């Protein structure tokens, strides 16, 4: 499903709350470098289906910062590994426009069926310092719209109610019925 532990924890919680079970596959699928979460997800679904032949769920997500023209976006995993939250804060040191959003594209493919994509967006802003210990990735610098805490200061269930991933899952669960 995903090799990112933080994502997996959130995803397995939401799936368990609906009475289902998820299994984390051990192999990362080869990620094509393209400017679209959707293409990464579709390519991952087909690759995993070919190798595992079971219902497949893929999550590709990223942080899009307005004043950085959408960077790191589809390159978020790489940006996080190379310079992390502090790197984003440094890039934005003198920036007053702090608007940003998280996007998540979930792909689901059942054996012999067409792939389905579900997108969730969480609007918010970049804080001026890192805050909180929970979550993963850029959570310590992302403040969702209407709140003062970062995602890293919120319990997982609260984050899942507001997050890009939580919203994409609502659509997936609606589809699955
Ligand atoms: P990918 O979807 O595996 O390509 O990785 C997306 C990257 O975006 C992660 O490694 C994180 O750095 C970041 N990201 C995606 N979703 C979240 C989130 O919910 N919180 C914090 N960072 C996230």
């Amino acid at each position: 499903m995903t090799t990112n532990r933080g994502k997996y924890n959130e995803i397995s919680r939401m799936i368990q709350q609906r009475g289902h079970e998820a299994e984390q596959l051990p192999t990362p699928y080869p990620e094509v470098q393209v400017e679209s979460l959707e293409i990464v997800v579709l390519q991952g679904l087909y690759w995993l289906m070919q190798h595992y032949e079971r219902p497949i769920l893929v999550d590709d997500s990223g942080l899009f910062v307005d004043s950085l023209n959408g960077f790191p976006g589809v390159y978020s995993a790489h940006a996080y590994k190379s310079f992390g939250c502090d790197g984003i804060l440094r890039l934005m040191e003198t920036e007053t426009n702090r608007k940003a959003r998280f996007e998540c594209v979930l792909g689901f493919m059942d054996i012999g069926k067409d792939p389905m994509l579900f997108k969730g967006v969480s609007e918010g802003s970049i804080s001026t310092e890192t805050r909180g210990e929970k979550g993963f990735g850029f959570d310590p610098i992302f403040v969702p719209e209407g709140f003062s805490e970062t995602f890293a200061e919120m319990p997982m269930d609260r984050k899942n109610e507001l997050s890009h991933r939580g919203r994409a899952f609502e659509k997936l669960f609606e589809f699955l019925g």
Side-chain angles (χ1 to χ4, degrees):
M1 170 173 47
T2 171
T3 50
N4 176 319
R5 199 70 214 170
K7 264 191 205 175
Y8 179 71
N9 290 341
E10 291 175 8
I11 287 173
S12 58
R13 168 109 183 130
M14 289 189 275
I15 289 178
Q16 271 166 16
Q17 283 170 332
R18 300 285 174 135
H20 303 288
E21 247 186 69
E23 174 196 4
Q24 188 174 26
L25 296 175
T27 338
Y29 57 88
E31 271 200 34
V32 283
Q33 284 300 314
V34 285
E35 285 182 36
S36 149
L37 297 176
E38 284 83 356
I39 301 215
V40 174
V41 167
L42 282 173
Q43 187 260 350
L45 282 175
Y46 282 114
W47 191 91
L48 288 165
M49 183 55 83
Q50 224 172 33
H51 287 77
Y52 289 94
E53 254 203 291
R54 69 187 73 173
I56 302 287
L57 183 62
V58 165
D59 168 320
D60 199 45
S61 40
L63 175 69
F64 296 73
V65 180
D66 279 16
S67 67
L68 303 177
N69 295 322
F71 183 80
V74 290
Y75 309 110
S76 292
H78 181 63
Y80 182 75
K81 277 183 218 131
S82 37
F83 54 68
C85 292
D86 290 336
I88 298 283
L89 291 181
R90 270 198 304 278
L91 284 175
M92 297 183 67
E93 230 156 30
T94 55
E95 185 57 63
T96 51
N97 174 12
R98 318 281 310 173
K99 244 176 107 23
R101 69 189 183 282
F102 268 124
E103 291 187 4
C104 170
V105 174
L106 276 184
F108 177 73
M109 192 171 180
D110 211 344
I111 301 167
K113 299 268 169 62
D114 288 334
M116 299 292 298
L117 299 186
F118 306 90
K119 185 168 191 165
V121 178
S122 184
E123 300 282 351
S125 60
I126 301 297
S127 56
T128 49
E129 71 287 299
T130 56
R131 282 190 273 126
E133 306 290 326
K134 301 186 185 69
F136 69 96
F138 294 112
D139 280 345
I141 56 167
F142 186 80
V143 181
E145 212 164 64
F147 292 79
S148 54
E149 307 103 299
T150 65
F151 270 164
E153 293 176 299
M154 295 179 175
M156 186 194 287
D157 285 344
R158 163 58 64 83
K159 177 187 167 187
N160 284 346
E161 277 165 27
L162 308 167
S163 79
H164 47 311
R165 187 162 300 105
R167 287 178 179 154
F169 262 98
E170 271 170 35
K171 293 181 186 172
L172 169 69
F173 288 137
E174 206 172 297
F175 166 77
L176 292 174

